[in-house]
Amino acid sequence: MKNFEQCTQILREEHRLIESAILAFTGIIKDLGAGAALDRQRVWEIAQSFKTYVQRCHHSKEDFLLSMVRARGGSAAEYPFRTFYEEHHQIQSLLSDLAKVTHEYVEALPGTPESLASSLRNVVDFYPGHMWKAEHLLFPLADELLSEADQFVLIQQFGWIESVVSTDVSEELRAMVAEFRPEPSRAA
């Protein structure tokens, strides 16, 4: 195993944030099912923040990684690249639907709690399989194939993405996740 797995480590850390957001979404689904009164604006904000983070930051980085792995010999036989790109396209559709439904939820349109719960469920159902593929197929292959120079280039590209998107996007999502899913208190 090589000692320069920086870019995959960054993506693994981003997966932890996505997992936390998914757990927050699960709590929102539960609250909606129980008829709880949620702050509609905050629900819209967490959905928007998640959408921005995933589309503009995380998946952009994964796409750069995929391109680099393919260029270094990661053939379709070794990793289902097409499936991965198709899943990125699929989540675009799911996130667009979530944005639409959360907007309707803010407007308090009839039936939106059920539509919102369904849309959130679709996002929640999608991510575990997608992240498993990245964690167990793509990242190990990248760690095997990419040189230190490749890693350096990817880290630079990741930094560029964050500068364009704003490095605050992950902190904003992290704060909203904490609001909807506070960390458990630890015994002193």
Side-chain angles (χ1 to χ4, degrees), residues 2-86:
K2 299 176 183 172
N3 291 328
F4 42 83
E5 300 169 1
Q6 301 97 340
C7 65
T8 55
Q9 185 56 38
I10 289 168
L11 294 171
R12 283 182 174 101
E13 290 169 12
E14 290 182 1
H15 279 181
R16 302 301 77 82
L17 178 54
I18 292 169
E19 288 171 346
S20 293
I22 295 302
L23 290 172
F25 289 169
T26 303
I28 292 169
I29 293 166
K30 182 180 173 185
D31 290 346
L32 289 167
L38 299 174
D39 181 332
R40 291 173 183 265
Q41 183 66 31
R42 295 305 285 168
V43 170
W44 177 83
E45 288 170 358
I46 192 172
Q48 292 302 312
S49 180
F50 182 78
K51 181 178 186 278
T52 299
Y53 180 75
V54 166
Q55 288 180 324
R56 297 186 65 209
C57 188
H58 181 71
H59 284 180
S60 296
K61 292 176 185 177
E62 280 186 344
D63 287 344
F64 273 123
L65 179 68
L66 278 164
S67 295
M68 182 73 77
V69 169
R70 283 187 91 173
R72 297 301 177 257
S75 72
E78 293 177 78
Y79 181 77
F81 290 99
R82 188 169 140 211
T83 300
F84 210 83
Y85 286 118
E86 287 170 355

Side-chain angles (χ1 to χ4, degrees), residues 25 29 33 114-126:
F25 289 169
I29 293 166
E114 296 82 12
S115 297
L116 176 57
S118 176
S119 184
L120 286 167
R121 222 175 276 108
N122 290 337
V123 172
V124 167
D125 290 346
F126 171 82

Side-chain angles (χ1 to χ4, degrees), residues 96-145:
S96 292
D97 181 63
L98 181 60
K100 175 185 159 288
V101 172
T102 54
H103 176 73
E104 292 169 354
Y105 183 69
V106 167
E107 299 296 319
L109 298 177
T112 54
E114 296 82 12
S115 297
L116 176 57
S118 176
S119 184
L120 286 167
R121 222 175 276 108
N122 290 337
V123 172
V124 167
D125 290 346
F126 171 82
Y127 264 99
H130 180 72
M131 287 192 299
W132 186 93
K133 288 175 193 165
E135 296 275 345
H136 294 92
L137 299 173
L138 176 61
F139 297 165
L141 185 58
D143 291 339
E144 179 183 320
L145 293 176

